Amino acid sequence: MKKIINLTNKYIVTATPLILFTLITSVYLSICVNGGKIINLLISFVLLFLMTAAFLAGWFNMLKIAVEKSDDDDEPNSLIKSFTPGVGEYFLPCTGAILISIIISLILLTITTVIGMHTIGNPQISADAFSNALKDTESLKQFLSGLSSEQLVKISMWNILFLGTTYINWFLVMFYMPAMFFESKNPFIAFFKSLKRLFSKKIIKNIGIFLLISCIYFIISILSALFAQNAILTFIITLINFYFICATALGIFYYYNQTFIQHQIGQNVDTYI
């Protein structure tokens, strides 16, 4: 933890592309979503998809270089220069990785829905009523008050089921980007390599790291919800959230490099000698 915090503080410049991308996408979505034809919305989301792939390519390349030269880098702010080369080198692999991640998510979602329908059952709630309930707090209260106890139990169980699926999905792709940036630019090969590393002899440690990240994220989410009405505290929590994302990404890249890449290099050198 101390190493990761020091690494994040040293390369705090990694937060700059993340913050700028978040601001740009927020403005972009607010403009595109309000009105417009379906074809225009489709084009807008395709452009957003490509923007996301370009951002991930440049940002993760920064993280890779930060991890590799962390001990002998006297100019950490110069790391920002590696963003553009990363976009050129990893744009297509990241595009493929996003598509594969979406497919994995859809497969897990389908399996979860089938399991839920057979074990929990249909809560008999119309999609329109549920969509209207999400507009504001009062609408949600009225919606929930009109449900029976059996429906409320089923909704709670569905929430738990989908939450568990979400965490399984995150766990499966935890090493996907490090595998691509450290081992193979082929998104298919990188995914299977990441699964090999994930379910290796280090599986217990990998699960522990994932649980630690999940717990910290859960705490930040609770604080964000509690202080949503306070502008100053919301701003502070937002900064903490950006710091947490950078620290998590750097930490996963550092752990992957130290545990699997450098360790493998050491083994190969010993074998050769």
Side-chain angles (χ1 to χ4, degrees):
M1 289 293 293
K2 183 179 179 181
K3 176 65 178 180
I4 299 307
I5 291 174
N6 291 336
L7 191 66
T8 307
N9 292 338
K10 182 177 182 179
Y11 293 106
I12 197 63
V13 69
T14 55
T16 303
L18 179 64
I19 295 173
L20 289 176
F21 176 74
T22 303
L23 291 174
I24 291 171
T25 50
S26 298
V27 175
Y28 179 78
L29 286 174
S30 64
I31 295 174
C32 296
V33 172
N34 293 330
K37 298 180 180 179
I38 296 179
I39 185 64
N40 294 335
L41 292 175
L42 182 61
I43 293 173
S44 299
F45 281 110
V46 169
L47 290 175
L48 179 62
F49 173 85
L50 297 176
M51 287 166 54
T52 303
F55 162 72
L56 294 179
W59 193 55
F60 284 130
N61 188 55
M62 290 176 62
L63 301 185
K64 173 190 175 183
I65 294 175
V67 167
E68 289 178 335
K69 66 175 186 177
S70 60
D71 295 330
D72 53 12
D73 187 12
D74 296 328
E75 297 182 2
N77 290 333
S78 64
L79 185 68
I80 195 71
K81 297 178 182 178
S82 61
F83 183 89
T84 305
V87 175
E89 186 175 357
Y90 290 99
F91 175 73
L92 290 178
C94 283
T95 301
I98 294 174
L99 288 173
I100 291 173
S101 299
I102 292 174
I103 293 172
I104 294 170
S105 299
L106 291 175
I107 292 173
L108 289 175
L109 182 63
T110 302
I111 294 173
T112 301
T113 303
V114 172
I115 293 174
M117 292 300 293
H118 282 82
T119 57
I120 302 174
N122 192 339
Q124 302 297 330
I125 298 173
S126 67
D128 292 336
F130 184 73
S131 177
N132 293 330
L134 298 177
K135 291 181 178 179
D136 52 62
T137 306
E138 285 300 321
S139 299
L140 183 60
K141 288 181 180 179
Q142 292 178 3
F143 173 75
L144 293 175
S145 63
L147 298 177
S148 65
S149 58
E150 183 180 356
Q151 286 178 311
L152 291 173
V153 170
K154 287 185 176 181
I155 291 175
S156 299
M157 294 178 69
W158 272 106
N159 286 335
I160 294 173
L161 182 62
F162 279 118
L163 182 63
T165 302
T166 301
Y167 277 99
I168 291 173
N169 194 358
W170 289 349
F171 181 68
L172 290 177
V173 298
M174 184 170 70
F175 290 153
Y176 195 0
M177 289 296 109
M180 177 177 293
F181 281 79
F182 284 115
E183 297 199 78
S184 175
K185 294 179 184 177
N186 186 309
F188 294 99
I189 296 176
F191 178 66
F192 287 110
K193 281 185 175 291
S194 70
L195 291 181
K196 180 181 177 182
R197 305 299 191 190
L198 190 65
F199 295 101
S200 64
K201 295 179 180 179
K202 302 286 184 179
I203 179 65
I204 301 300
K205 193 173 183 179
N206 297 339
I207 293 174
I209 292 172
F210 178 76
L211 291 177
L212 176 63
I213 294 171
S214 300
C215 288
I216 298 175
Y217 174 76
F218 181 71
I219 293 171
I220 293 175
S221 299
I222 291 177
L223 293 176
S224 180
L226 290 175
F227 302 130
Q229 304 302 321
N230 190 307
I232 297 177
L233 291 178
T234 298
F235 176 73
I236 294 173
I237 295 297
T238 301
L239 292 180
I240 293 174
N241 193 36
F242 279 121
Y243 184 89
F244 168 71
I245 294 173
C246 291
T248 300
L250 275 169
I252 291 175
F253 267 68
Y254 179 82
Y255 172 76
Y256 192 93
N257 184 50
Q258 293 294 318
T259 305
F260 303 114
I261 306 303
Q262 297 299 325
H263 179 69
Q264 185 177 7
I265 293 174
Q267 284 184 330
N268 292 338
V269 170
D270 290 341
T271 303
Y272 178 76
I273 293 174

